[in-house]
């Protein structure tokens, strides 16, 4: 809480609704007035950031002093003669180290401001914040070295500057990590949380509330919903027109609107939130979920939601393709004896071809022939529609654990995922990748809804995030969640992580 609601609730009751107030007006004499205005909150935030800046400056100066002491002082590990404390002081003054240290502290602060490091970004990981600190510190150090070089100063030790940069990375990242742990620990205990009222108890509103509940470290505590249709949900505290009463009764700090875009409703809520001095946030529930997790950017000052774009940058695609080609080539060479043995077993076990090739839907909806070792009887595809009534997967996804079409050897090939090894040929031809969403048959693809098409933004994979985290989850929505998470969070590190997790999953015989 930011302290706004405690005093508001003691004020005389205000009129139920007055959306026609002027934009610049202040609550009237009979209306609730906040005890702490936005300017007070802003002053508190400014003072806190000023304290963070001061901590950085002190640590940079101490780090510079420590680096100089290591270079010239009693614990000198660099091979030169050690100096007495009086000699160190004289050398510091003679070489103008204090001036350069002040300049260095200013450069570090400016670089940290550029990385937005003077606030606790709760959605960013501690590692991510530490990397930003390292980037800012190295940038400031490089600028200082460049300045020393261009000023032709021969007295400043470059080794001392390098040591100072290293020390500052550790100290600046370290105190931020300690601060982060303290803030998150308080948030998990329920301290310092911002009380949130969500306007709209639909799918988006409930998903937002669940996310806040699962991630207490974000600093939000949902106290309820406002919705025109309660539907028996005890968390719905009233309708939108009861915003004032509910906000004052629940000591609300922030509002989140999750209803479908309604210009007049948003304007009314905005005016009432402004009168109550509440932060107002709009979470757009656009186009049946297509706006979820979509990045928001500003173009010429206009907020723009990117519903579709290239999820993997060009350089990343080039590196990923190189890794796919080398990995598939190596995999085919290593597994060739296993493939030969499996092919012989298939021929002896049941009549029909060794390989099975079927149309699958790949990147951007392009169809291709996906190769597998045959694990079913030859007429399996014709029997599929008859078996849809016993499908064990929800959504446009067909899967039966004890499929009667699977042959005896096919059961074992599937169990250890050996049947999918020929897909390495698809990887060589560029139709698939080593890691990505699994390719679906054409008939399953035809049952997609529009939001499912997002999984086709990248090449399908031999293995994927869903395979190594929730392979036995029968929900198509769970599959979609993991596929979209992979697309949105893609990195080469994630690809390597999925590949490494695939190996033990194969040996655990989790295939079916």
């Amino acid at each position: 809480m930011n302290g706004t609601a405690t005093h508001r609730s003691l004020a005389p009751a205000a009129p139920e609704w007055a959306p026609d107030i002027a934009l610049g007006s202040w609550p009237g004499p009979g209306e609730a007035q906040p005890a702490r205005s936005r300017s007070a909150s802003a002053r508190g935030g400014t003072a806190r950031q000023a304290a963070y800046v001061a901590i950085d400056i002190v640590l940079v100066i101490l780090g510079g002093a420590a680096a100089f002491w290591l270079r010239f002082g009693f614990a000198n590990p660099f091979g030169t003669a050690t100096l007495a404390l009086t000699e160190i002081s004289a050398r510091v003054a003679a070489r103008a180290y204090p001036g350069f240290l002040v300049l260095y502290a200013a450069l570090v602060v400016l670089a940290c401001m550029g990385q937005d490091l003077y606030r606790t970004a709760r959605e960013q990981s501690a590692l991510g914040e530490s990397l930003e600190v390292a980037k800012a510190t190295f940038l400031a150090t490089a600028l200082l070295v460049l300045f020393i070089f261009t000023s032709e100063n021969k007295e400043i030790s470059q080794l001392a500057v390098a040591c100072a940069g290293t020390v500052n990375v550790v100290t600046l990242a370290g105190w931020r990590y300690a601060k982060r742990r303290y803030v998150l620990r308080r948030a998990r205990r329920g301290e310092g949380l911002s009380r949130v009222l969500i306007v709209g108890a639909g799918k988006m509103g409930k998903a937002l509330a669940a996310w806040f509940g699962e991630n207490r470290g974000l600093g939000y505590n949902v106290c309820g919903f406002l919705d025109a249709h309660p539907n028996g949900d005890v968390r719905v505290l009233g309708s939108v027109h009861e915003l004032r009463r509910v906000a004052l009764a629940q000591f609300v700090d922030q509002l989140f609107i999750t209803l479908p875009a309604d210009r007049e409703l948003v304007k009314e809520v905005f005016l009432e939130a402004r009168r109550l001095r509440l932060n107002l946030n709009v979470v757009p529930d656009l186009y049946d979920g297509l706006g979820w997790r979509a990045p928001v950017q500003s173009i010429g000052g206009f907020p723009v939601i990117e519903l579709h774009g290239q999820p993997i940058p060009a350089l990343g695609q080039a590196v990923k393709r190189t890794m796919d080609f080398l990995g598939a080539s190596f995999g085919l060479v290593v597994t060739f004896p296993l493939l030969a043995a499996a092919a012989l077993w298939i021929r002896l076990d049941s009549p029909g071809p060794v390989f099975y090739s079927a149309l699958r839907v790949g990147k951007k909806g392009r169809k291709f022939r996906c190769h597998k070792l045959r694990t079913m009887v030859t007429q399996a595809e014709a029997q599929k529609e008859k078996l849809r009534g016993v499908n064990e997967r929800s959504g446009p996804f067909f899967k039966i654990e004890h499929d009667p079409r699977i042959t005896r050897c096919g059961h074992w090939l599937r169990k250890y995922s050996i049947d999918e090894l020929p897909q390495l040929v698809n990887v060589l031809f560029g139709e698939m990748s080593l890691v990505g969403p699994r390719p679906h048959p054409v008939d399953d693809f035809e049952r997609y809804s529009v939001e499912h098409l997002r999984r086709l933004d990248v090449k399908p994979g031999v293995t994927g995030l869903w395979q190594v985290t929730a392979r036995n989850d029968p929900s198509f929505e769970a599959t979609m969640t993991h596929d979209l998470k992979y697309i949105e969070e893609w990195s080469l590190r994630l690809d390597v992580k999925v590949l490494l997790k695939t190996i033990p999953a194969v040996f655990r015989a989790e295939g079916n």
Side-chain angles (χ1 to χ4, degrees), residues 166-187:
T166 304
V167 170
N168 289 331
V169 169
V170 175
T171 56
L172 299 188
W175 88 261
R176 280 178 171 81
Y177 177 77
K179 178 199 66 173
R180 172 183 291 272
R181 298 301 302 171
Y182 171 73
V183 171
L184 295 183
R185 197 159 47 242
R186 292 186 71 240

Side-chain angles (χ1 to χ4, degrees), residues 31-254:
E31 298 174 340
Q33 297 197 24
R36 183 180 174 187
S37 65
R38 285 183 184 275
S39 59
S41 300
R43 285 194 298 270
T46 302
R48 186 164 51 248
Q49 291 183 354
Y52 294 165
V53 170
I55 293 173
D56 274 358
I57 292 174
V58 170
L59 290 177
V60 169
I61 292 174
L62 291 177
F68 187 87
W69 205 344
L70 284 172
R71 177 67 180 87
F72 299 108
F74 73 92
N76 178 17
F78 301 112
T80 61
T82 58
L83 300 176
L85 185 58
T86 54
E87 295 176 292
I88 293 176
S89 301
R91 180 167 295 193
V92 167
R95 296 192 179 189
Y97 268 95
F100 280 99
L101 194 53
V102 170
L103 174 61
Y104 186 35
L107 290 174
V108 169
V109 168
L110 290 174
C112 287
M113 285 181 175
Q115 299 294 333
D116 198 17
L117 289 170
Y118 290 114
R119 65 183 183 90
T120 304
R122 302 192 187 194
E123 293 189 0
Q124 187 182 37
S125 67
L127 177 60
E129 187 176 44
S130 297
L131 291 176
E132 295 293 337
V133 170
K135 185 189 302 183
T137 305
F138 287 144
L139 174 61
T141 305
L143 290 175
L144 180 65
V145 170
L146 180 62
F147 180 77
I148 292 172
F149 178 78
T150 54
S151 65
E152 298 183 354
N153 188 302
K154 306 298 184 181
E155 298 179 337
I156 301 297
S157 169
Q158 296 180 1
L159 184 57
V161 174
C163 288
T166 304
V167 170
N168 289 331
V169 169
V170 175
T171 56
L172 299 188
W175 88 261
R176 280 178 171 81
Y177 177 77
K179 178 199 66 173
R180 172 183 291 272
R181 298 301 302 171
Y182 171 73
V183 171
L184 295 183
R185 197 159 47 242
R186 292 186 71 240
R188 293 189 182 103
R189 291 199 304 261
E191 301 174 8
L193 296 181
S194 181
R195 291 181 63 81
V196 168
L197 183 65
I198 298 178
V199 181
K203 182 179 179 182
M204 171 68 84
K206 291 180 178 178
L208 182 65
W211 179 252
F212 286 160
E214 294 168 2
N215 299 270
R216 300 274 292 187
L218 294 176
Y220 298 109
N221 179 30
V222 178
C223 55
F225 298 89
L226 293 180
D227 199 280
H229 307 286
N231 296 325
D233 192 337
V234 296
R235 295 179 298 172
V236 178
L237 305 178
S239 68
V240 178
H241 295 288
E242 297 177 280
L243 169 60
R244 173 180 293 277
R245 175 186 64 80
V246 175
L248 294 175
Q250 296 296 324
F251 307 101
V252 171
D253 298 311
Q254 297 203 48

